[in-house]
Amino acid sequence: MREKIIEKSNELFLNLGFKSVTMDEIASALGVSKKTIYKYFKNKTELVAAVTHHMFDAVSCGINGICDLKMNPIDEIFSIKRFVMDNLKDEKSSPQYQLQKYYPKIYASLKQKQFHVMQGCVIENLKSGIEIDLYRSDIDLEFISRIYFNGMVSIKDKDLFPLNDYSMNTLMNYYLEYHLRGICTEKGIQQLENQLKLK
């Protein structure tokens, strides 16, 4: 039952946002009483924490699977983007923004975990891109990986990028192009242009 509650809550939170969804709505969507949910989670904050960590683990696992395929580093970045978009439903409700606003402790702990996972993944991507001459050899790996993470977090700030003006998919495409044009060699730019035709 615990898994079912997490999965249904995950779906509702992604579509409607963490703040908007009530425990009553979750119970109703599951066809159970609110008391049943409280048997597994003592309050909504505890449920939100469980859902966000479940989401994080599922996305991390998928990203690791893509990285294990050892594809061309530029194709890898776009494959990860597509996977994340499929899993986060284009983030219509901007869950990260709501998490930051209403559940700052959960957000801070999640951001820390995201940073560690992304840092390793991005540095590996940069190294393999340099090896096959898609990325410039003079880039600072540590700096680029941190800037990349920071940019990824910033484009989800809906004060900066209102969802009415930009879909999350458009923002991700713009950001990846911006990131890659800054670090690619001529050969890498060609590869990027090919990917941009597919989007």
Side-chain angles (χ1 to χ4, degrees), residues 32 34 52 58 67 80 86 100 120 130 156 163 170 174 184 199:
V32 298
K34 213 162 48 164
T52 51
C67 293
I80 290 172
D86 287 348
Q100 187 174 4
I130 290 169
K156 291 176 181 171
L163 286 172
T170 303
Y174 283 169
C184 277
K199 69 178 183 187

Side-chain angles (χ1 to χ4, degrees), residues 18-193:
F18 289 105
K19 177 81 172 91
S20 324
V21 179
T22 64
M23 294 297 256
D24 282 315
E25 286 167 327
I26 295 167
S28 163
L30 281 161
V32 298
S33 72
K34 213 162 48 164
K35 221 161 83 176
T36 306
I37 297 176
Y38 285 123
K39 236 172 32 185
Y40 298 92
F41 303 97
K42 66 172 185 277
N43 52 39
K44 187 177 169 187
T45 304
E46 199 176 279
L47 176 59
V48 167
V51 168
T52 51
H53 288 100
H54 166 81
M55 221 187 284
F56 172 81
D57 291 341
V59 170
S60 297
C61 186
I63 290 174
N64 289 339
I66 293 169
C67 293
D68 289 346
L69 298 172
K70 300 286 176 218
M71 57 175 78
N72 162 312
I74 292 173
D75 293 348
E76 178 180 275
I77 283 181
F78 280 91
S79 287
I80 290 172
K81 184 217 85 165
R82 284 188 284 272
F83 169 77
V84 170
M85 294 310 305
D86 287 348
N87 271 271
L88 299 183
K89 316 269 194 295
D90 202 25
E91 301 203 347
K92 288 181 195 69
S93 61
S94 191
Q96 180 173 301
Y97 178 82
Q98 288 202 359
L99 201 60
Q100 187 174 4
K101 195 169 174 187
Y102 301 107
Y103 300 95
K105 278 187 182 160
I106 298 172
Y107 173 79
S109 126
L110 194 67
K111 188 176 168 188
Q112 201 56 40
K113 281 175 77 171
Q114 282 175 331
F115 176 69
H116 289 302
V117 167
M118 256 177 93
Q119 180 83 337
C121 189
V122 173
I123 286 179
E124 278 313 302
N125 181 281
L126 293 170
K127 283 180 181 166
S128 57
I130 290 169
E131 266 169 41
I132 57 173
D133 193 37
L134 290 179
Y135 303 153
R136 299 191 337 258
S137 58
D138 60 346
I139 58 176
D140 182 311
L141 300 181
E142 195 66 29
F143 174 77
I144 297 291
S145 66
R146 286 168 186 270
I147 282 286
Y148 181 77
F149 176 77
N150 201 41
M152 274 296 183
V153 170
S154 297
I155 62 172
K156 291 176 181 171
D157 179 337
K158 66 175 190 179
D159 287 335
L160 271 179
F161 300 103
L163 286 172
N164 294 338
D165 299 345
Y166 304 95
S167 76
M168 190 47 67
N169 194 46
T170 303
L171 279 175
M172 293 270 266
N173 281 331
Y174 283 169
Y175 181 63
L176 292 183
E177 182 177 0
Y178 173 81
H179 164 70
L180 288 165
R181 285 195 187 277
I183 62 172
C184 277
T185 59
E186 283 295 318
K187 186 178 161 190
I189 295 286
Q190 279 305 114
Q191 189 68 33
L192 170 62
E193 299 284 358

